[in-house]
């Protein structure tokens, strides 16, 4: 009998397979490798697909397999030899050293070099676009999925790359060899060192599949017994809470029927298949805020309010808006009931020998108030129980808090009627996090803890930090005062890597824990690293995770908001608004913090420039927030962002009334970041991005692009109004923006054009038309419909202004 060989785990998600061919086929879903090529030019990931292609063509001439001696990288990984075409390295553009300057790293905002000589922009000069797009690999092959596979990458653009000096920082001396070695260690990896790390398909409208074969195809050979079959199928369902059996659905219906009096009148619970579809759709939302542990979640074992909220957001992602609304309202009814019960809770009774009860891994409340079922006044030889004063409110279960977060998300991004519910629930969420003791320091990660124990504590940490993140979204979008402050989550420990959280079983989790170093730092430790004085380029500080990086950039945004509120300008021309820049010393501290955040982002091995990284889009979303921070550090329209009205006319009027920023070198970094944000849809095709990414992409990126576009529009408006001649740096930035716009149909000008006021106004209008065009698609959340129409109205206003001045 042939000895069974050990099959290594997947290099990307650590999933294991019984056979090497299954591993090879699975890893190609990460890398998009297509080693089996036909002479006609098409290539396929599997040989049987190539054979089918050759058989189905009408003319077999010119259709046959290309046999080559090159072994693909994936074949080498699993020690299997086969004929395959090597995957070419991603296309990159070499940037001349004369343009990048002596230290033009994409990770440094403070690099200094001499300003370049400004020249009239020309369509034949693509150097600026090479700088913006130099690290973006091409994907020439047609996509195989409903949502095409392409890069939406992110570069930390710097002023030094464009020959513009940073006004907040003096030139830095060259690094020594030892310092350069530390710099390279902090960076963690080279962008093009391992192309396969980023090669992963975008989230499609179908659920993410861990393999291309069915469970039956993976069954053990040699006539398995029925018990083995059941065990294998059960393992295959692990981590797929959308699989709902008939027995589980019957159990759920019994719970729903028992709560019928608390649900909305006329509420119809979805069928088993519809419920599965909605829970399946929840995985699209979960990728952006992973605080529920799907591998241990079963629909029939979670509280009803959490099940309804998960189904609601899943229906939202399936574009079944009425079902999403009904399910969210039903979940809110159960949440409201539990909120009332918590306010009417009874006194806690604790005996001197009472200890915390055991907690089920699926139903964790972790309440600081311990209740013991014992008879009061019973003389049984034990000390009399102590009756504690009645707390202001009883601690809610962690699942109820999770349901509140999901309902808040749904109400935040949809119609105006539900926005007030989101704000009310957000207040309640912050209150119960404090009252329930969830903001207290958590347990130190232990090497000896079991999987169920780790899931319990990790889920608690992620829930608290997710609440902080999304309540901060209210501050970012609606200019609301922060409900949870940085200091309140200071002692919460940083979540572990996403690969640990995604591990489908305890065995895979144990292997990852054995290979990786546990992160023991708190959020306060990692956040303090960002503002620590000293050499900013050499301080790596505490180890952080991708989730921790997301929380950290939210912390910076919150502190920028509070700083602006603290430095309100009372200049009569600004009407007391926060449109003026921050003081230089404060702005310098924030810029240094952003530079350190960049280095932590790059040093993290799970960082990715793709929304479809195997560990999820957390770091991709963090880059959008980074750009917002760069803009708001120097310019913030504040109350003129009237997005809460959901009225396109009101929102467009706010765009029109927003003040233009003052001309200042402090704005140059924000201009570069904003220009790069808008260049990405131009690079891949505006219609292509609009039609494919608004469904699967991140909403925060759309909001980021809108803010960047509005900032550029207002900056150009200021340049067109001032009689002062343009500075060399301003002309350089205008050349960059014009080069991007000339790649679109919205702005055309002769190569010898000069930046007159009329030309600059046309550029301003073209930017808003560009962003408006990317919004023209079907959207998951209704807020985007209002913003799409508001941008159209504002473009019409800008065009009218131009026609009146001609």
């Amino acid at each position: 009998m042939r000895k069974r060989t050990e099959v290594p785990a997947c290099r990307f998600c650590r999933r294991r397979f019984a056979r090497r061919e299954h591993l090879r086929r699975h890893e190609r879903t990460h890398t998009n490798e297509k080693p089996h090529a036909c002479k006609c030019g098409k290539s396929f990931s599997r040989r049987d697909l190539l054979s089918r292609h050759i058989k189905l063509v009408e003319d077999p001439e010119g259709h046959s397999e290309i046999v080559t001696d090159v072994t693909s990288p994936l074949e080498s990984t699993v020690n299997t030899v086969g004929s395959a075409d090597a995957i070419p390295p991603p296309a990159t553009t070499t940037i001349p050293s004369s343009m990048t300057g002596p230290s033009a790293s994409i990770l440094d905002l403070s690099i200094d070099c001499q300003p370049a000589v400004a020249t009239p922009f020309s369509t034949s000069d693509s150097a600026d676009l090479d700088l913006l797009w130099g690290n973006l690999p091409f994907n020439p092959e047609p996509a195989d999925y409903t949502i095409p596979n392409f890069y939406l990458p992110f570069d930390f653009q710097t002023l030094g790359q464009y020959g513009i000096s940073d006004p907040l920082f003096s030139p830095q001396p060259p690094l020594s060899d030892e310092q350069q070695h530390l710099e390279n260690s902090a960076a963690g990896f080279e962008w093009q060192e391992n192309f396969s790390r980023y090669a992963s398909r975008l989230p499609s409208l179908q659920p993410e599949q861990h393999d291309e074969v069915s469970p039956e195809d993976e069954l053990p050979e040699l006539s398995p017994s029925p018990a083995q079959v059941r065990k294998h199928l059960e393992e295959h369902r692990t981590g797929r809470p959308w699989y709902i059996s008939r027995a589980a659905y019957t159990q759920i219906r019994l719970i729903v029927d028992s709560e019928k009096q608390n649900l909305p009148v006329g509420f119809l619970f979805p069928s088993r298949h519809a419920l599965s579809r909605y829970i399946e759709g929840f995985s699209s939302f979960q990728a952006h805020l992973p605080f529920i542990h799907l591998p241990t979640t079963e629909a029939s074992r979670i509280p009803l309010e959490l099940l309804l909220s998960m189904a609601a957001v899943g229906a939202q992602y399936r574009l079944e808006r009425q079902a999403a609304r009904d399910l969210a309202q039903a979940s809110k009814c159960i949440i409201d009931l539990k909120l009332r019960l918590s306010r009417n809770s009874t006194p806690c009774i604790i005996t001197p020998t009472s200890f915390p009860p055991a907690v089920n891994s699926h139903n964790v409340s972790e309440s600081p108030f311990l209740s013991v079922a014992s008879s009061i006044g019973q003389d049984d030889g034990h000390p009399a129980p102590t009756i504690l004063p009645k707390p202001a409110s009883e601690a809610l279960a962690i699942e109820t808090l999770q349901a509140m977060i999901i309902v808040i998300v749904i109400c935040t991004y949809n119609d105006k009627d539900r926005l007030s519910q989101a704000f009310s629930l957000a207040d309640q969420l912050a209150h119960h996090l404090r009252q329930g003791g969830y903001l207290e320091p958590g347990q130190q990660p232990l090497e000896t803890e079991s999987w169920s124990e780790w899931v319990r504590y990790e889920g608690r940490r992620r829930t608290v930090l997710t609440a902080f993140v999304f309540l901060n979204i209210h501050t970012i979008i609606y200019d609301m005062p922060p409900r949870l402050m940085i200091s309140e989550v200071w002692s919460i420990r940083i979540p572990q890597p996403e690969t640990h959280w995604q591990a489908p079983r305890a065995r895979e989790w144990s292997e990852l824990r054995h290979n990786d170093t546990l992160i023991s730092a708190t959020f306060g430790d990692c956040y303090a690293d960002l503002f620590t004085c000293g050499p900013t380029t050499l301080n790596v500080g505490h180890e952080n995770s991708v989730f921790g990086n997301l929380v950290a950039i939210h912390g910076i945004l919150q502190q920028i908001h509070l700083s602006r509120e603290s430095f309100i300008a009372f200049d009569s021309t600004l009407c007391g608004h926060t449109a003026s820049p921050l003081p230089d010393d404060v702005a310098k501290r924030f810029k240094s913090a952003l530079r350190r955040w960049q280095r932590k982002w790059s040093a993290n091995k799970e960082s990715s420039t793709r929304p479809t990284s195997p560990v999820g889009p957390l770091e991709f979303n963090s880059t959008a927030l980074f750009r917002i921070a760069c803009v708001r550090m120097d310019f913030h329209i504040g109350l003129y962002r009237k997005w809460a009205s959901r009225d396109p006319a009101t929102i467009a009027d706010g765009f029109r009334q927003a003040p233009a920023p003052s001309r200042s070198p402090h704005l140059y970094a924000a201009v570069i970041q904003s220009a790069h944000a808008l260049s990405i849809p131009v690079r891949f095709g505006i219609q292509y991005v609009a039609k494919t990414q608004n469904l699967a992409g991140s909403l925060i990126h759309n909001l980021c692009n809108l803010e960047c576009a509005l900032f550029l529009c207002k900056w150009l408006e200021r340049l067109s109004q001032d009689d002062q001649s343009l500075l060399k740096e301003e002309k350089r930035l205008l050349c960059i923006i014009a080069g991007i716009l000339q790649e679109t149909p919205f702005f055309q000008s002769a190569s010898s054009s000069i930046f007159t006021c009329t030309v600059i106004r046309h550029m301003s209008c073209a930017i808003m038309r560009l962003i408006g065009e990317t919004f023209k698609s079907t959207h998951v959340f209704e807020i985007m419909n209002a913003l799409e129409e508001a941008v159209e109205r504002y473009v019409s206003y800008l065009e009218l202004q131009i026609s009146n001045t001609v």
Side-chain angles (χ1 to χ4, degrees):
M1 183 176 180
R2 189 176 61 179
K3 183 179 179 181
R4 186 178 182 89
T5 58
E6 180 71 16
V7 179
C10 172
R11 293 178 292 145
F12 307 98
C13 65
R14 309 304 300 171
R15 180 173 168 81
R16 286 193 169 275
F17 297 86
R19 296 161 64 178
R20 290 182 182 273
E21 54 267 32
H22 292 164
L23 170 65
R24 182 167 61 254
R25 190 158 40 186
H26 165 78
E27 285 197 343
R28 284 175 185 160
T29 66
H30 290 297
T31 64
N32 278 337
E33 183 188 14
K34 298 179 180 179
H36 305 288
C38 178
K39 289 184 178 180
C40 70
K42 293 185 177 181
S43 56
F44 303 88
S45 60
R46 288 157 43 188
R47 189 183 300 274
D48 60 319
L49 296 178
L50 171 62
S51 300
R52 185 178 64 178
H53 161 73
I54 296 173
K55 291 178 181 178
L56 292 179
V57 294
E58 296 181 1
D59 183 12
E61 292 294 331
H63 292 274
S64 62
E65 182 177 3
I66 299 177
V67 180
T68 142
D69 295 332
V70 179
T71 302
S72 72
L74 184 59
E75 299 282 347
S76 300
T77 302
V78 295
N79 300 321
T80 304
V81 179
S83 61
D85 289 333
I87 301 298
T92 58
T93 303
T94 303
I95 302 173
S97 58
S98 60
M99 297 186 61
T100 59
S103 305
S105 167
I106 61 173
L107 301 174
D108 199 341
L109 280 174
S110 65
I111 297 168
D112 181 85
C113 78
Q114 295 299 319
V117 177
T119 58
F121 60 88
S122 171
T123 55
S124 62
D125 184 10
S126 62
D128 291 334
L129 298 183
D130 290 341
L131 285 173
L132 286 169
W133 299 339
N135 284 327
L136 312 193
F138 284 85
N139 181 27
E141 295 185 0
D144 292 338
Y145 308 102
T146 305
I147 302 298
N149 179 5
F150 68 97
Y151 277 71
L152 281 182
F154 172 73
D155 243 345
F156 292 113
Q157 296 295 310
T158 68
L159 294 177
Q161 289 175 279
Y162 303 94
I164 302 173
S165 60
D166 194 319
L168 291 179
F169 293 90
S170 58
Q172 300 293 323
L175 296 178
S176 65
D177 293 341
E178 181 180 359
Q179 289 174 327
Q180 187 64 48
H181 174 71
L182 292 175
E183 280 283 279
N184 295 335
S185 300
F189 59 88
E190 295 294 334
W191 291 104
Q192 304 300 336
E193 182 179 71
N194 189 354
F195 171 67
S196 63
R197 284 187 54 200
Y198 308 120
S200 170
R201 60 178 175 176
L202 285 170
S204 68
L205 296 181
Q206 299 300 322
E208 181 67 20
Q209 297 295 329
H210 293 280
D211 197 7
E212 295 181 355
V213 295
S214 64
E216 290 76 6
D217 292 336
E218 297 181 30
L219 289 177
E221 300 176 354
L222 303 177
S223 303
S225 65
Q228 290 176 312
V229 173
R230 287 193 298 270
K231 179 180 178 181
H232 177 82
L233 293 177
E234 190 62 33
E235 288 181 352
H236 185 80
R237 299 183 188 115
T238 301
R240 294 170 171 82
W242 49 82
Y243 176 81
I244 303 175
S245 64
R246 290 184 177 85
Y249 182 75
T250 301
Q251 183 179 351
I252 295 171
R253 284 305 304 261
L254 291 175
I255 298 174
V256 172
D257 293 340
S258 67
E259 296 286 349
K260 187 175 182 180
Q261 70 278 9
N262 299 316
L263 296 172
V265 177
F267 171 72
L268 296 177
F269 191 71
S271 67
R272 180 169 69 94
H273 294 292
L275 182 62
S276 297
R277 181 171 69 251
Y278 299 154
I279 301 299
E280 183 182 63
F282 173 79
S283 61
S284 299
F285 168 81
Q286 162 82 0
H288 296 277
L289 290 173
F291 63 99
I292 292 179
H293 195 244
L294 292 183
T296 57
T297 298
E298 295 184 38
S300 60
R301 296 187 179 184
I302 59 178
L304 181 59
E305 67 272 18
L306 180 57
L307 176 64
L308 291 170
S309 64
M310 292 171 64
V313 77
Q316 188 82 41
Y317 271 83
R318 288 295 184 259
L319 303 181
E320 300 183 36
R321 304 191 190 280
Q322 188 57 49
R325 187 185 187 99
D326 294 343
L327 289 164
Q329 189 60 35
S331 178
K332 187 176 182 301
C333 287
I334 303 297
I335 292 171
D336 290 341
L337 173 64
K338 295 200 172 183
L339 291 175
R340 289 194 300 270
L341 292 176
S342 71
R343 289 193 292 268
N344 299 326
S345 58
T346 57
C348 297
I349 304 171
I350 301 182
T351 66
T353 57
S354 297
F355 293 95
V359 185
N360 184 282
S361 62
H362 289 285
N363 189 13
V364 184
S365 63
E366 298 194 25
S367 170
F369 303 106
L370 304 178
S371 177
V372 180
S374 60
S375 301
I376 300 178
Q378 181 179 355
D379 188 8
D380 55 0
H382 294 283
T386 302
I387 301 179
L388 298 181
K390 179 179 178 179
S393 63
E394 182 180 321
L396 292 178
I398 195 73
E399 294 89 351
T400 303
L401 297 176
Q402 291 169 342
M404 292 174 70
I405 293 173
I406 297 172
V407 173
I408 290 171
V409 171
I410 296 172
C411 295
T412 296
Y413 290 146
N414 282 300
D415 54 76
K416 181 181 178 181
D417 296 339
R418 288 189 277 178
L419 190 57
S420 59
Q421 297 179 10
F423 293 158
S424 176
L425 267 181
D427 291 333
Q428 293 276 3
L429 176 62
H431 167 75
H432 282 279
L433 286 172
R434 298 186 186 101
Q435 193 68 33
Y438 289 101
L439 303 180
E440 299 299 324
Q443 176 178 321
Q444 177 84 10
L446 301 175
E447 294 281 356
T448 58
E449 63 186 345
S450 66
W451 190 38
S452 60
E453 291 174 334
W454 178 82
V455 167
R456 185 180 75 177
Y457 291 116
E458 180 76 3
R460 172 180 171 135
R461 287 190 290 267
R462 286 173 174 262
T463 299
V464 172
L465 293 177
T466 298
F468 171 78
V469 164
F470 200 80
L471 294 185
N472 200 56
I473 292 290
H474 284 182
T475 302
I476 295 172
I477 298 178
Y478 301 116
D479 221 45
M480 302 285 292
R483 290 184 175 86
L484 276 181
M485 306 297 290
I486 296 172
S487 58
E488 294 185 277
V489 296
W490 195 264
S491 300
I492 303 299
R493 299 203 173 275
I494 292 295
Q496 299 299 315
E498 293 307 300
T499 50
H500 295 204
W501 188 244
Q502 295 172 358
R505 284 175 288 272
R507 183 182 63 181
E508 288 85 346
W509 172 80
S510 297
E511 289 182 4
L512 291 167
R513 293 259 291 190
H514 178 74
N515 296 329
D516 297 337
T517 303
L518 293 183
I519 300 175
S520 59
T522 65
F523 166 71
D525 294 332
C526 295
Y527 191 72
D529 288 342
L530 302 178
F531 290 89
T532 302
C533 297
T536 59
T537 58
L538 301 179
N539 180 24
V540 178
H542 296 83
E543 186 177 358
N544 207 341
S545 64
V546 294
F547 203 119
N549 283 338
L550 176 67
V551 180
I553 193 64
H554 271 282
I556 294 176
L557 277 164
Q558 183 183 111
Q559 201 155 357
I560 290 175
H561 173 85
L562 295 175
S563 297
R564 285 200 162 278
E565 292 297 321
S566 301
F567 291 102
I568 290 181
F570 293 99
D571 190 319
S572 59
T573 60
L574 295 174
C575 302
H577 195 257
T578 58
S580 61
L582 293 170
D584 283 357
D585 58 334
V586 176
K588 187 173 182 178
R589 292 289 302 275
F590 279 124
K591 181 167 281 194
S592 296
L594 289 172
R595 292 170 61 206
R596 293 189 183 98
W597 184 90
Q598 292 172 13
R599 296 192 177 277
K600 282 183 172 287
W601 187 94
S602 297
N604 194 300
K605 66 180 182 180
E606 290 187 342
S607 294
S608 172
T609 60
R610 290 176 53 85
T612 52
S613 164
V615 299
L618 286 182
E619 286 292 74
F620 179 73
N621 293 341
S622 299
T623 61
L625 296 166
F626 170 85
R627 289 196 178 101
I628 293 179
C630 289
V631 170
R632 294 196 180 182
M633 193 168 57
D634 298 300
F635 177 71
H636 183 31
I637 63 175
L639 298 177
Y640 295 100
R641 190 187 300 101
K642 302 177 181 180
W643 297 356
S645 68
R646 294 295 194 274
D647 177 35
T650 303
I651 297 173
D653 192 56
F655 292 163
R656 181 181 61 81
Q657 295 177 359
S662 302
R663 292 174 63 177
S664 169
H666 295 156
L667 298 177
Y668 296 163
V671 172
I672 287 293
Q673 291 295 334
S674 300
H676 184 258
L678 295 182
S679 74
I680 293 176
V682 177
R683 157 67 177 80
F684 293 110
I686 298 170
Q687 295 298 326
Y688 186 60
V689 172
K691 296 300 186 290
T692 61
Q693 288 305 292
N694 282 328
L695 283 176
S698 169
L699 177 63
I700 198 66
H701 270 271
N702 284 332
L703 302 180
C704 162
N705 289 344
L706 176 57
E707 180 140 345
C708 290
L710 187 61
F711 164 70
L712 286 179
C713 183
K714 291 296 178 179
W715 181 69
L716 293 173
E717 178 183 322
R718 174 64 68 189
L719 294 182
S720 68
Q721 292 173 350
D722 285 359
D723 296 330
Q724 178 184 355
S725 60
L726 296 174
L727 301 176
K728 289 183 179 181
E729 293 83 0
E730 292 172 336
K731 291 180 181 179
R732 184 76 176 93
L733 294 172
L734 287 173
C735 286
I736 295 170
I737 298 171
I740 297 171
L741 294 178
Q742 284 187 314
E743 293 292 319
T744 74
F746 312 129
F747 177 77
Q748 298 295 329
S749 182
S751 61
S752 59
S753 296
I754 301 175
F755 292 113
T756 63
C757 293
T758 302
V759 171
I760 295 176
R761 290 193 185 100
H762 276 288
M763 291 172 61
S764 176
C765 184
I767 287 173
M768 296 308 297
R769 288 187 64 188
L770 189 160
I771 195 67
E773 201 68 24
T774 62
F775 285 0
K776 291 182 178 179
S777 180
T778 303
H779 302 287
V780 174
F781 294 103
E782 296 173 19
I783 184 176
M784 291 305 303
N785 296 325
L787 293 178
E788 177 186 337
E789 186 176 345
V791 170
E792 286 295 317
R793 288 172 177 265
Y794 186 52
V795 168
S796 299
Y797 165 77
L798 294 176
E799 291 174 342
L800 180 62
Q801 290 292 103
I802 293 173
S803 62
N804 290 338
T805 57
V806 174

